[in-house]
Amino acid sequence: MDNCIFCKIANHEIPGKIIYEDDICMAFLDLSQTTDGHTLVIPKNHYAHILEVDSQTLAHMMEVVQKVALQLQNQLHAKGFNIITNMNEVAGQTVHHFHIHIIPRYDQHDGFEAHYLDRSQDANLDDIYQKITGLK
């Protein structure tokens, strides 16, 4: 993609703090640094989001996520991670080149919060299940 910032980083047209690279993907520090070491793993080929990525590339990227997370754990002493991908604007995707966030966690008050709502009293699991599977 001509105007894709991640394609430009992947093609070394603009600089990035690259901490891992192979023929398929690369990992580099996110400019936002939600927490120290916040890293993005991207495929070198352009895919808009996760549903466009072939399974072989996706599997390889997850191996790289694991390798990079281990490096961050060892070097930065992260105590945990949030591994996140966002798809489309409604989910918070701002760069439309598939990427996986590795967000190191240091303690429960490190400034990053993922809020998961408990809708167990309102959600009808049977109804949702039937819609997804077509089974009754």
Side-chain angles (χ1 to χ4, degrees):
M1 287 294 229
D2 292 338
N3 291 323
C4 175
I5 191 167
F6 288 175
C7 285
K8 289 179 181 182
I9 294 170
N11 292 323
H12 297 277
E13 295 171 16
I14 60 173
K17 299 291 186 193
I18 299 167
I19 59 175
Y20 177 88
E21 182 173 10
D22 62 29
D23 292 341
I24 298 169
C25 66
M26 66 171 33
F28 54 89
L29 294 178
D30 190 313
L31 290 175
S32 71
Q33 288 299 289
T34 299
T35 62
D36 287 354
H38 180 176
T39 300
L40 302 178
V41 177
I42 67 164
K44 288 187 172 181
N45 290 331
H46 184 88
Y47 303 95
H49 51 69
I50 192 169
L51 298 182
E52 292 187 356
V53 183
D54 64 273
S55 60
Q56 198 169 14
T57 298
L58 191 58
H60 178 74
M61 289 179 68
M62 289 309 294
E63 289 176 8
V64 171
V65 165
Q66 186 178 45
K67 185 182 297 186
V68 170
L70 183 60
Q71 182 180 1
L72 296 172
Q73 182 179 40
N74 290 338
Q75 299 303 116
L76 299 179
H77 310 290
K79 296 177 183 172
F81 297 92
N82 288 94
I83 309 294
I84 301 170
T85 187
N86 304 316
M87 185 180 131
N88 296 331
E89 292 86 358
V90 69
Q93 184 180 14
T94 57
V95 177
H96 294 278
H97 181 121
F98 175 64
H99 55 287
I100 302 169
H101 295 260
I102 305 172
I103 302 173
R105 302 304 303 272
Y106 300 99
D107 61 51
Q108 293 178 339
H109 307 289
D110 59 14
F112 179 74
E113 294 183 37
H115 294 283
Y116 297 95
L117 303 176
D118 180 354
R119 296 181 48 241
S120 59
Q121 299 302 311
D122 302 319
N124 182 329
L125 293 183
D126 289 333
D127 186 45
I128 295 167
Y129 178 79
Q130 288 175 9
K131 287 179 182 175
I132 293 170
T133 63
L135 300 175
K136 294 196 180 230

